[in-house]
Amino acid sequence: MLWIEGVVALVIALAFLLHALFAFKPEHVEHHPARVRIGATIQGLAIGLLIGFVVVPLRMQVMDARGFDPGLSPGLSSLSFIPALLMLIVIRRGALLKVPVLKTYLRAYRRATLLKARDDAEKALAKLDAIEARKVSP
């Protein structure tokens, strides 16, 4: 059943790549666009591998999709969920930014993500200011 986990990892990597292709405007991308896309794919693959090879098997084990496995109880296998969740958080927070070969791509993707988040926050604040100004004036 390893093909299921591999497909999950590749789909998540593809989702990150598509997000990098369509969500970032040229003003968000300060490096070469290929670096941002490669960084997005690497980030998506890292997260996808954790989800595909840790979370999906846990779900299959708990939901009893593969049948009863006397060697590994669902209670014991669920203990690996907490380290997997912590690893997902650490990866999302930027732990891979210091990996020697990949850091150029991951930093380009991270910078584009942060610039997009800043622009989105500024737009949301502008909308909030407009709403508050309408409520104050009448």
Side-chain angles (χ1 to χ4, degrees):
M1 300 282 288
L2 283 178
W3 67 272
I4 294 173
E5 289 91 347
V7 168
V8 168
L10 290 177
V11 165
I12 292 173
L14 182 65
F16 270 75
L17 176 63
L18 290 175
H19 178 263
L21 284 171
F22 296 113
F24 297 140
K25 296 178 182 174
E27 59 265 16
H28 299 144
V29 180
E30 292 184 352
H31 298 278
H32 194 277
R35 282 186 180 177
V36 175
R37 293 176 187 137
I38 291 170
T41 305
I42 293 169
Q43 180 88 9
L45 189 61
I47 291 173
L49 287 172
L50 271 173
I51 291 174
F53 287 97
V54 176
V55 176
V56 170
L58 284 176
R59 183 188 179 281
M60 292 173 76
Q61 181 77 24
V62 171
M63 298 302 289
D64 208 20
R66 292 189 292 185
F68 179 72
D69 184 7
L72 188 63
S73 69
L76 187 60
S77 67
S78 65
L79 290 177
S80 64
F81 178 74
I82 293 172
L85 180 65
L86 291 175
M87 287 176 65
L88 284 171
I89 292 170
V90 166
I91 287 174
R92 185 67 187 128
R93 297 290 299 167
L96 294 177
L97 295 176
K98 296 178 183 169
V99 176
V101 177
L102 306 176
K103 68 181 174 184
T104 304
Y105 305 108
L106 291 171
R107 286 181 181 171
Y109 172 67
R110 178 84 168 163
R111 183 157 187 82
T113 303
L114 291 172
L115 289 172
K116 180 175 178 1
R118 183 185 67 188
D119 288 347
D120 291 345
E122 288 173 356
K123 287 178 187 176
L125 283 172
K127 286 181 183 179
L128 185 62
D129 288 341
I131 290 171
E132 288 175 350
R134 278 189 246 144
K135 287 185 178 180
V136 171
S137 57

